[in-house]
Every structure is written in C-alpha cells, then in structure tokens.
Amino acid sequence: MTMKFMTLARHIIEQEKLHPGATGELSKLLHDLSLAAKVISLEVNKAGLADILGFTGDNNVHGEKVKKLDIFAHDMLIRAMDHGGHLAIMASEEEEDIIHIPDHYKTGKYVLLFDPLDGSSNIDVNISIGTIFAIYRRISNAGPGTLEDCLQPGDKQIAAGYIVYGSSTILVYTAGHGVHGFTLDPSFGEFILSHENIQIPKKGKIYSINEGNYKYWHPGLKKYIKYLQEEDKETERPYSSRYIGSMVADIHRNLLYGGIFMYPADSRSPRGKLRLVYECNPMSFIVEAAGGKSSDGKTRILDLVPENLHQRTPIFIGSADDVTMVEEFLAKEEVLNEIQHS
Ligand code: FDP
C-alpha cells in the first residue's frame, strides 16, 4: 500500500479535528516549531563549512559573532515561538531561568520546554544530533507564566516531539493520538509523512549505554548487561550494542527497531546525567505513546515531580519488556543488598 502523501502542516490540522472544541492554537504552535526546525536543520547541515566559508575565530565575514550551533538553535526557537500568542512561558536547556514572553506580545495558554540541540558534543564530527520539545497547558492564571508552569510532571504533557538531524532530518511528534514521523524534503522544504503511527516493538534486540562507565554502575545493572550478552536462542540473546552518544538519535533508532536506551545513575553521578524536563520527559511521553516504557529504575519517569528546571534523572527507556527486565535486575540486587546488611 502506498503511504499517504501528506505534509506535517496538513497532518497537524487533521489531528486537531480529533479534539472537538480545539481552538487551533496548539496546531499553530506546532507549525511555528516546525519552521524553527527547518532553519536549524539548514544550519546544522552547514556546520562543517564555517571555517571554509571565511568565518574566522569568533567572527564571521560580516564582523558578527559566530554563534555556536546550540546557541543558534536556542535563539532560533525563541524567535520563532515568542510572538505567536500561544505561549505563557518557555524554558530551554541552554538558559538557567525561565524565558518570559516579551511584554509587547500576547501570552497564551501553553508552556514550551526545549533542548535546542541535544548531543552537541557530536556536532564537530558529523554525527546525528537533535532538538527535543515538550508542551504543557499552563497552570497559572492569565498574565506571564511562572516557574510552576514549567515544573509539571511529564504526565501532564499534551504534546511532545523531537527532530533528529541525521542522514535526513526527521521530525517525530505526538499530540496524544499516536506517534508520527515526517522527513524533511530539502528540495521543497516540507516535512512529509514518512512514519505513520510508530509502534515500538514490545521487546528489542539492541541495548544502548555508555559502557565506558561500567566500573561505576550498580551491581544489578552490571548483571543485566552481562545477561544481555549471553547466548540464548529462545530470548534472542546476545543483544546488539549500539551507542551513538546522542540521546535523540539513539532513542529514534530504538523506537523504530526496538531496544533499550539507558543513562543510569552511577557512583560518580548519583542522579544520572540527562535532564528530566528537557530530555527525559518529552522522550518518555513519545515512547509511551508508541507503546514503550520509561523508568528511572523504579519509578515511571512521567510520574516524577520536577523540583528544578535543570534537574537530572537516571533513565531506562524503550521496549516495554526490556525496561521491565532491567527494573527487575535492579530490584533483585537491592533486596540482596538489604539482606546482606540486615
Ligand atoms: P551531549 O553530552 O553530547 O550533549 O544530553 C546530553 C548527551 O549528549 C545526550 O544526548 C547523550 O545521550 C549523552 O549526553 C551522552 O553522554 P556520554 O558522553 O556520557 O555517554
């Protein structure tokens, strides 16, 4: 069967019709986000050319400061999103505090949290990176939004998505009715539906973790990884190890093929590395909407109540059976530990 030939813009409108009484504000917001994504994608594709095209040191040919790509993406998102009248407040992984809507623009009912360019240590080596966003309804009354608007548990998201800048640029989003992917056609600048209603396999054959940190892991995690490496035809082991080191790209692959991505707490980083509100919540919302699971090892990520904007959390995310299994390995080891110390 040939796939529907449909643009993202059209898809957003179709999705809106599934919500009787929708005002169209969310659709416009998603549309504005896709515009920022196109500009960031263009800039990411030029990343290696900066020096060749005559940009010197910190200044470009016009004598302007050359922005680092993650700052460029941050600024572009704000420019695309601050004037639409849909947002009450924003927050970005690149900025310490909440970002207010300028006084001369209208505020709206939504809250936008984003990581403008995730995996940024991969930019200079031409490896996939991504943008992640989460959308909530404001909980404050009218007027400027507040920090509390931004610190809602992930379960309260009404939409989330990511853009992965890889061999092509793909935008994946959910607004509560399935997870859908769109590939950017660079020749006519439109995101075209390429992955309709993505469902993550219940169990995968891929694990993604930075094994360089093995020494610092929880003993239960060490045992789980060893288990995945053992041979057993029935449970399709050993698993393959795939780690790009770019959360969006690693999770995008696992979403399509099945598997588990892990960034655990360890003895050096007791709270893990990845950010709850900018990275883990939106990715967990998407993976759950595709039938997967996401946990900090014990608790569902989407149930965690953020205490501050830049808080970190351990994360185990992907195919539901795989996430349940790592939770079991971690719990078993906790019990053994308690028995030994009692
Ligand atoms: P990066 O440091 O390159 O920005 O969010 C941070 C992140 O990338 C994730 O995208 C990625 O999954 C993880 O960190 C990689 O961390 P390690 O280098 O510690 O494996």
Side-chain angles (χ1 to χ4, degrees):
M1 198 177 73
T2 23
M3 182 153 339
K4 283 178 218 153
F5 185 53
M6 190 187 270
T7 64
L8 172 65
R10 180 58 197 265
H11 192 270
I12 291 170
I13 294 169
E14 296 290 324
Q15 292 277 302
E16 185 191 313
K17 290 185 192 150
L18 301 173
H19 296 269
T23 59
E25 274 188 69
L26 179 63
S27 300
K28 289 183 193 137
L29 200 166
L30 289 167
H31 189 265
D32 292 349
L33 272 169
S34 74
L35 175 65
K38 287 180 199 173
V39 181
I40 298 169
S41 174
L42 254 183
E43 208 60 21
V44 167
N45 289 334
K46 289 193 298 197
L49 292 171
D51 294 337
I52 301 163
L53 295 179
F55 295 171
T56 48
D58 278 351
N59 294 301
N60 68 14
V61 279
H62 309 292
E64 296 157 348
K65 280 255 179 230
V66 175
K67 286 181 188 167
K68 280 180 64 204
L69 213 45
D70 37 12
I71 302 302
F72 173 86
H74 165 87
D75 290 350
M76 183 46 62
L77 279 157
I78 294 176
R79 278 189 62 196
M81 304 309 299
D82 67 358
H83 58 278
H86 324 301
L87 291 175
I89 194 85
M90 293 185 265
S92 160
E93 214 231 40
E94 288 294 335
E95 192 147 328
E96 199 55 34
D97 287 325
I98 48 176
I99 303 164
H100 286 288
I101 303 301
D103 290 341
H104 50 282
Y105 294 133
K106 251 180 67 195
T107 50
K109 62 181 175 201
Y110 292 112
V111 177
L112 175 68
L113 308 180
F114 56 88
D115 181 355
L117 218 49
D118 183 64
S120 47
S121 58
N122 287 318
I123 295 173
D124 292 340
V125 284
N126 209 16
I127 288 175
S128 301
I129 45 183
T131 297
I132 311 174
F133 61 89
I135 300 169
Y136 296 79
R137 216 166 256 124
R138 70 184 300 170
I139 48 176
S140 57
N141 296 322
T146 63
L147 178 62
E148 284 64 44
D149 288 324
C150 300
L151 295 180
Q152 301 182 55
D155 197 37
K156 299 278 182 213
Q157 286 168 98
I158 55 161
Y162 62 79
I163 300 103
V164 57
Y165 311 101
S167 46
S168 51
T169 294
I170 295 189
L171 184 151
V172 172
Y173 88 105
T174 178
H177 292 276
V179 177
H180 311 283
F182 300 79
T183 302
L184 182 63
D185 185 320
S187 54
F188 56 96
E190 287 279 6
F191 279 106
I192 304 292
L193 181 63
S194 51
H195 301 75
E196 194 173 16
N197 200 15
I198 300 170
Q199 292 286 319
I200 185 167
K202 198 162 172 291
K203 178 188 166 308
K205 282 186 282 180
I206 295 174
Y207 73 91
S208 318
I209 188 166
N210 184 345
E211 292 194 73
N213 295 329
Y214 181 88
K215 181 178 183 311
Y216 309 106
W217 290 347
H218 185 285
L221 183 59
K222 289 183 176 170
K223 286 190 183 160
Y224 173 66
I225 299 296
K226 282 287 157 231
Y227 167 84
L228 296 182
Q229 294 168 345
E230 283 160 14
E231 191 178 10
D232 178 49
K233 282 215 169 65
E234 208 175 306
T235 51
E236 298 188 284
R237 286 178 291 144
Y239 278 34
S240 287
S241 164
R242 295 280 183 278
Y243 189 69
I244 299 169
S246 202
M247 185 199 203
V248 177
D250 273 308
I251 294 183
H252 179 68
R253 180 203 51 239
N254 292 1
L255 188 64
L256 299 180
Y257 292 167
I260 179 166
F261 171 87
M262 296 165 268
Y263 211 107
D266 63 32
S267 55
R268 280 194 309 184
S269 322
R271 301 205 68 167
K273 176 181 182 191
L274 303 183
R275 315 283 173 155
L276 176 59
V277 305
Y278 303 113
E279 299 174 310
C280 299
N281 272 339
M283 295 311 278
S284 301
F285 192 68
I286 296 163
V287 167
E288 282 201 9
K293 184 171 170 176
S294 179
S295 150
D296 70 355
K298 275 189 189 143
T299 307
R300 178 177 176 239
I301 290 284
L302 297 180
D303 286 338
L304 300 173
V305 182
E307 285 159 18
N308 64 68
L309 280 177
H310 295 275
Q311 153 177 356
R312 298 169 196 271
T313 176
I315 184 166
F316 302 87
I317 178 170
S319 294
D321 287 359
D322 294 307
V323 175
T324 301
M325 180 152 298
V326 72
E327 283 179 330
E328 284 166 7
F329 269 83
L330 294 172
K332 216 183 286 169
E333 205 59 33
E334 296 285 322
V335 174
L336 280 177
N337 199 22
E338 273 166 32
I339 295 170
Q340 278 161 9
H341 290 92
S342 60

